[in-house]
Amino acid sequence: MCQCLVLSYRDFIMADSIMSKAATMEIPINSNGDTGTLTEDDSLEQDLQQVMVSGPNLNETSIVSGGYGGPAGGIIPTSTIKGPAVRFNPDYLDRRRAPAPGPGSSNHNTSNSTEEVTRGVAVEKLDSVKKWGINTYKCTKQMFSERFGRGSRTVDLELEAQIDVLRETKSKYENILRLATALISHFQSMVQTQQALGDTFTDLSQKSPELQDEFGYNAETQKLLCKNGEALLGAINFFVSSINTLVNKTMEDTLMTIKLYENARLEFDAYRSDLEELSLGPRDAATMVRIEMAQHDYQIHRDKYERLRSDVTIKLKFLEENKVKVMHKQLLLFHNAISAYFAGNQQQLEQTLIQFNVKLKPPGSDKPSWLEEQ
């Protein structure tokens, strides 16, 4: 069912007839050029007054329920509906121009807040890129100045000497690690050859009755050497693992801190040189502001440099203590294991492994399983 708001049909017909009558009415003119007496003037005036008095208003409109051409019983006069009087409000048009708040207003506010957050993140990234560019330019300038002998650099002679010793020590320990790994590879090949030779002697001792004892003695000797070789391999593997941890973890961690320290030193000298150049220039208002900012940046990088220098000093001290402790144990293990093996002292070799908590892998543990070979 649709509902429509219509004007009174009687009033509409009356207004239309009056307007048509006024439009078609002839004005007679007499011989003197004066307008004659209008016979319908009084009736026209009365009709206009009636329209003004009893013209269309909300109280005479009706609500039509139903479609067009519906029964007259569906018309309900609005004068029977009680409610507040309807008055014209000029602000109504202004309110219609502006979008009314609704469910979309929250989405609009959310989109605005999202745009503000995105804009803030973009500004922050732009500032960080700008700072990175300025810092990179200053450090590159300082680095070339030092390399070509035009700039000065901050040097801690004692600390620099310790850093050089550490780098040299790391290089030598890497050589030990490389040689010990090669020894494991070669010795493992020898143990595998002894194992195969012992199995061959055992097989021949069973198939050659006239040489059974001779093949049996050699088979037992090769198996014993293979067993001792596996014990020696376990000791050397433990030695290599400990050296690898010392070189590639402990020393490398200290060298990473040293790298951060060297970068901080370069930044500190770059901002120090920048402050010195500004201090030698004119002392106008703009320059004083720049000097104050340079002083602030200089202090920040100076604190960073001193903090990292302290960290490097502490790490070098602990590294030296750890290195002595680890190498003392590993060198003793390596010496005792090698001596016991080539002396043929099986008991001493086993005692060395127990002393240094070296646990041997079960035979065949390094070989892939039959599922992995498929």
Side-chain angles (χ1 to χ4, degrees):
M1 301 295 291
C2 71
Q3 295 181 348
C4 303
L5 183 65
V6 299
L7 299 177
S8 175
Y9 183 74
R10 179 178 59 81
D11 296 332
F12 178 77
I13 295 300
M14 183 181 295
D16 183 75
S17 62
I18 293 173
M19 298 302 291
S20 61
K21 185 185 293 184
T24 58
M25 183 176 57
E26 297 180 358
I27 304 176
I29 303 175
N30 56 16
S31 59
N32 294 328
D34 298 330
T35 58
T37 303
L38 298 176
T39 58
E40 297 178 354
D41 185 40
D42 295 337
S43 62
L44 177 59
E45 183 177 359
Q46 291 176 0
D47 291 339
L48 289 175
Q49 291 177 357
Q50 184 177 2
V51 170
M52 296 298 294
V53 173
S54 60
N57 53 59
L58 291 178
N59 291 330
E60 294 183 357
T61 58
S62 301
I63 298 177
V64 180
S65 176
Y68 293 103
I75 300 176
I76 305 174
T78 57
S79 58
T80 60
I81 301 176
K82 304 297 181 179
V86 179
R87 297 181 180 179
F88 175 72
N89 189 355
D91 296 335
Y92 174 71
L93 294 178
D94 296 335
R95 289 198 302 268
R96 290 193 63 185
R97 293 191 187 99
S105 61
S106 60
N107 296 331
H108 183 68
N109 295 333
T110 304
S111 62
N112 288 338
S113 61
T114 304
E115 291 177 358
E116 291 177 358
V117 172
T118 305
R119 190 180 300 109
V121 172
V123 171
E124 184 179 355
K125 289 184 177 180
L126 184 61
D127 291 340
S128 63
V129 170
K130 181 180 178 182
K131 292 180 181 179
W132 174 83
I134 294 174
N135 186 74
T136 303
Y137 167 74
K138 291 181 181 294
C139 292
T140 305
K141 179 182 177 183
Q142 176 66 24
M143 182 177 61
F144 279 104
S145 298
E146 294 176 1
R147 184 161 298 180
F148 290 104
R150 294 195 299 266
S152 60
R153 64 186 299 263
T154 303
V155 179
D156 188 334
L157 296 177
E158 183 180 358
L159 187 60
E160 292 291 337
Q162 293 178 1
I163 292 174
D164 292 339
V165 170
L166 172 61
R167 289 193 171 117
E168 184 180 0
T169 302
K170 184 175 183 292
S171 177
K172 293 180 178 179
Y173 277 38
E174 286 175 344
N175 190 35
I176 292 176
L177 188 61
R178 187 164 47 250
L179 293 174
T181 304
L183 177 62
I184 289 176
S185 177
H186 297 321
F187 196 77
Q188 189 171 11
S189 298
M190 188 184 72
V191 170
Q192 291 175 354
T193 303
Q194 289 174 341
Q195 178 70 39
L197 188 59
D199 294 339
T200 303
F201 284 154
T202 302
D203 182 63
L204 288 174
S205 67
Q206 296 174 357
K207 296 180 179 179
S208 303
E210 65 281 3
L211 298 174
Q212 182 177 6
D213 295 336
E214 289 79 2
F215 278 127
Y217 296 151
N218 282 278
E220 293 179 359
T221 301
Q222 294 300 321
K223 289 181 180 179
L224 180 61
L225 290 174
C226 182
K227 180 180 179 181
N228 293 338
E230 290 177 352
L232 180 60
L233 281 174
I236 300 177
N237 278 320
F238 187 77
F239 173 81
V240 169
S241 176
S242 300
I243 300 299
N244 181 68
T245 302
L246 178 64
V247 172
N248 294 322
K249 291 186 178 180
T250 309
M251 290 185 178
E252 190 65 28
D253 178 70
T254 305
L255 289 174
M256 287 296 296
T257 307
I258 291 173
K259 185 176 181 180
L260 294 176
Y261 157 74
E262 292 175 344
N263 292 335
R265 197 277 310 164
L266 183 63
E267 292 178 353
F268 166 67
D269 285 336
Y271 283 91
R272 177 183 55 80
S273 300
D274 189 24
L275 179 60
E276 291 176 355
E277 292 178 1
L278 290 174
S279 300
L280 297 176
R283 295 301 183 95
D284 54 359
T287 306
M288 292 302 297
V289 173
R290 294 179 60 188
I291 290 176
E292 184 178 355
M293 295 177 61
Q295 181 70 32
H296 178 263
D297 294 338
Y298 164 78
Q299 188 63 39
I300 291 176
H301 288 87
R302 179 182 178 182
D303 295 340
K304 180 181 179 181
Y305 164 73
E306 292 180 350
R307 183 179 69 253
L308 286 172
R309 182 176 62 178
S310 177
D311 292 345
V312 170
T313 303
I314 294 173
K315 283 197 173 185
L316 285 174
K317 179 181 178 181
F318 282 107
L319 175 61
E320 184 65 24
E321 296 176 356
N322 188 31
K323 183 193 71 173
V324 172
K325 182 179 179 180
V326 169
M327 292 307 298
H328 175 76
K329 176 181 178 180
Q330 296 303 319
L331 291 174
L332 187 61
L333 165 67
F334 189 82
H335 173 269
N336 292 344
I338 292 289
S339 300
Y341 173 80
F342 285 100
N345 192 342
Q346 181 182 1
Q347 184 178 1
Q348 182 64 33
L349 180 59
E350 293 177 353
Q351 186 65 30
T352 300
L353 298 181
I354 295 174
Q355 179 183 357
F356 292 96
N357 297 322
V358 178
K359 296 183 179 181
L360 300 178
K361 295 180 180 180
S365 60
D366 295 335
K367 297 180 180 179
S369 63
W370 64 274
L371 288 176
E372 295 174 348
E373 292 178 350
Q374 297 301 322

